[in-house]
Amino acid sequence: LAKTTQPISMDSYEGQEVNITCSHNNIATNDYITWYQQFPSQGPRFIIQGYKTKVTNEVASLFIPADRKSSTLSLPRVSLSDTAVYYCLVGPNSGGYQKVTFGTGTKLQVIP
Amino acid sequence: SAVISQKPSRDICQRGTSLTIQCQVDSQVTMMFWYRQQPGQSLTLIATANQGSEATYESGFVIDKFPISRPNLTFSTLTVSNLSPEDSSIYLCSVEAKIVWTSGGASINEQFFGPGTRLTVL
């Protein structure tokens, strides 16, 4: 599984857009990029997944450049409840059963 | 989606004893995964639990220390044996489910996690 690198922590004020970038230089052709969110005392929760270009859902957007060596999770207008750890993962999504390898994650602190 | 429950939610155990953690899923799944998350750290995969066969352990984890059962497609247990304070951690189970959520009908494999079991070893 490709190794990922992301900032250890970030601070943001409420109402701002937050962009968390993840580097994955060794991403393979069949790898997808997935982001999870984890609140204290809870298990991680899936946010978004993409392969290339841009993916958007009701929670976030995921931007992936053409070379796919990095990706950016964008959270629009964060609130205090978005304070959590965000994990970027890269691996195959072939329809088989993949085990997920978590990196260090980015601890986002939203400030009032 | 899949809803996962774990028992117990937390426990305090004495050194040398064992703790068995139960994981129940509301739907049938082929594989279940067990993770450990030490305080302030990321998640580390312990093993993959297959129904009807031996679990597959990751490097650094052995069956004698972390025996796993998988009697059916909705249930698994993880036992942490011969406890020491270094085993104090959160233990999570997870499953993978295929979700169709894109407008074009494409599917993804999403992992669903239980709430975790917080173990403290004295």
Side-chain angles (χ1 to χ4, degrees):
Chain A
L1 296 173
K3 178 180 169 60
T4 60
T5 303
Q6 52 184 124
I8 292 177
S9 65
M10 295 179 68
D11 292 337
S12 176
Y13 288 102
E14 267 192 300
Q16 289 189 332
E17 178 184 79
V18 171
N19 296 307
I20 306 174
T21 298
C22 179
S23 296
H24 28 80
N25 292 319
N26 297 322
I27 190 169
T29 302
N30 61 341
D31 283 344
Y32 283 69
I33 300 152
T34 310
W35 286 80
Y36 283 81
Q37 175 191 55
Q38 185 179 28
F39 297 114
S41 301
Q42 294 185 26
R45 183 179 72 129
F46 173 93
I47 302 176
I48 197 166
Q49 184 181 82
Y51 184 80
K52 61 180 179 181
T53 62
K54 177 184 175 182
V55 179
T56 297
N57 62 22
E58 66 278 5
V59 176
S61 294
L62 179 59
F63 298 91
I64 306 168
D67 66 5
R68 304 200 326 123
K69 293 183 182 300
S70 66
S71 59
T72 300
L73 174 73
S74 181
L75 304 172
R77 296 185 298 281
V78 294
S79 64
L80 296 176
S81 62
D82 292 317
T83 293
V85 179
Y86 292 83
Y87 294 98
C88 164
L89 295 89
V90 173
N93 182 34
S94 61
Y97 295 96
Q98 58 164 334
K99 55 187 182 183
V100 178
T101 300
F102 283 80
T104 56
T106 298
K107 186 173 184 178
L108 172 65
Q109 180 69 51
V110 180
I111 306 165
Chain B
S1 65
V3 178
I4 303 171
S5 60
Q6 287 184 232
K7 290 182 182 179
S9 58
R10 58 178 62 223
D11 206 343
I12 301 173
C13 299
Q14 295 296 322
R15 183 194 299 259
T17 64
S18 298
L19 175 70
T20 295
I21 302 167
Q22 300 178 5
C23 179
Q24 180 76 52
V25 190
D26 69 342
S27 57
Q28 293 184 339
V29 293
T30 301
M31 288 190 181
M32 297 175 75
F33 306 92
W34 286 98
Y35 288 83
R36 181 175 71 185
Q37 186 171 30
Q38 294 176 311
Q41 302 297 312
S42 183
L43 286 80
T44 301
L45 181 65
I46 297 171
T48 302
N50 310 312
Q51 195 269 333
S53 64
E54 292 277 331
T56 303
Y57 290 83
E58 296 300 304
S59 176
F61 297 95
V62 295
I63 187 171
D64 289 345
K65 176 68 174 178
F66 298 98
I68 288 171
S69 77
R70 183 78 201 277
N72 58 53
L73 292 174
T74 63
F75 187 79
S76 177
T77 67
L78 169 73
T79 299
V80 189
S81 304
N82 190 24
L83 290 168
S84 69
E86 292 72 35
D87 295 319
S88 296
S89 190
I90 297 173
Y91 294 86
L92 302 102
C93 69
S94 77
V95 304
E96 188 179 69
K98 186 178 292 291
I99 305 296
V100 179
W101 64 275
T102 63
S103 58
S107 64
I108 61 166
N109 289 331
E110 178 180 335
Q111 279 223 340
F112 295 89
F113 287 82
T117 296
R118 183 180 294 271
L119 168 62
T120 302
V121 183
L122 302 179

